[in-house]
């Protein structure tokens, strides 16, 4: 009989909430995400930026840059159909 290997779920992360944190979370949640999804995305987003900065040699490994920026591809709103006859 095969034995099942139990995987342990990671414990939830607890973050002290401040007005600044709540405002930032509300901004991310405007996309329709739930709190956990928003926090997960924010951590992944920052981690990706840090990894990029370190691998490019922009800052020493394991340090936080003083500033980071994001480049966003423009998403134009659809133009109304031409109403001329």
């Amino acid at each position: 009989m095969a034995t099942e290997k139990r995987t342990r779920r990671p414990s939830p992360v607890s973050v002290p909430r401040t007005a600044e944190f709540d405002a930032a979370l509300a901004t991310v949640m405007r996309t329709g995400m739930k709190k956990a999804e928003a926090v997960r995305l924010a951590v992944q987003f920052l981690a990706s930026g840090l990894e990029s900065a370190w691998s490019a040699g922009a800052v020493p490994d394991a340090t936080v840059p003083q500033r980071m920026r994001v480049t966003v591809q423009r998403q134009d709103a659809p133009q109304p159909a031409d109403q001329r006859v």
Side-chain angles (χ1 to χ4, degrees), residues 15 17-31 33-35 38-39 41-42:
V15 178
R17 293 175 63 176
T18 63
E20 183 180 25
F21 176 87
D22 286 346
L25 182 58
T27 298
V28 178
M29 290 178 65
R30 285 177 53 195
T31 63
M33 289 184 219
K34 295 185 185 319
K35 286 179 189 175
V39 172
L41 177 65

